Amino acid sequence: MGQSFFGLAANWRQVLRYYQAGIVNTLFGYGCFAALVWLSFDIFTAQILSHIFGTIFNYFTYSRYSFSDEEGSAFRFILSYVANYLISLVILYGLTQFISSAYFAGLLTILVVSVVNFFVLKRFVFRAIEKQS
């Protein structure tokens, strides 16, 4: 009739660890974005550069902390982050039509995309390690 209590607890533990790592990843990625905007990069160049740096950083935090009990694929992670970037670019563009602050638009973009990203990582990138008998 569904998962056991321990299975549900493990899922919530993973979500919690995802968002703990996500806070660190967000600080890193948004810090890169803000620094590049401060250095006079346009927001879309800042977005792609911070996304590239963030992708590399995020793979290590997610694979070693959030999904450490699962087998990850660096190739699928990169593919998921290409899609993640395209989604974030569309959202960022849409938000800049209504929000004048590039910093706030960038931050809101991160918040929206993070929810989608968890499910993509959970279902597409990181998979349970099969036990051999």
Side-chain angles (χ1 to χ4, degrees):
M1 184 171 182
Q3 290 186 324
S4 70
F5 172 76
F6 296 109
L8 288 173
N11 285 338
W12 280 110
R13 180 177 169 266
Q14 189 172 56
V15 170
L16 178 63
R17 289 172 72 94
Y18 169 79
Y19 276 103
Q20 287 171 336
I23 290 169
V24 172
N25 294 347
T26 299
L27 291 173
F28 180 84
Y30 186 70
C32 288
F33 175 80
L36 292 168
V37 169
W38 182 77
L39 290 170
S40 299
F41 283 77
D42 70 84
I43 62 170
F44 300 105
T45 302
Q47 177 75 0
I48 194 166
L49 290 174
S50 64
H51 201 78
I52 290 168
F53 299 145
T55 299
I56 295 164
F57 185 82
N58 295 358
Y59 181 75
F60 290 105
T61 59
Y62 288 136
S63 66
R64 293 184 178 160
Y65 184 69
S66 305
F67 300 99
S68 61
D69 295 338
E70 299 177 13
E71 185 175 359
S73 165
F75 179 72
R76 287 192 308 260
F77 190 86
I78 291 168
L79 287 178
S80 75
Y81 265 69
V82 168
N84 185 339
Y85 172 72
L86 295 174
I87 292 167
S88 68
L89 189 61
V90 169
I91 292 170
L92 179 63
Y93 176 78
L95 289 173
T96 60
Q97 303 307 301
F98 303 100
I99 298 171
S100 61
S101 170
Y103 301 103
F104 189 57
L107 184 60
L108 285 177
T109 299
I110 290 167
L111 294 174
V112 171
V113 173
S114 75
V115 174
V116 174
N117 191 45
F118 174 79
F119 290 104
V120 171
L121 293 178
K122 178 73 177 159
R123 301 289 179 213
F124 181 67
V125 176
F126 296 99
R127 299 186 179 169
I129 298 172
E130 294 184 28
K131 297 177 182 169
Q132 297 179 3
S133 20

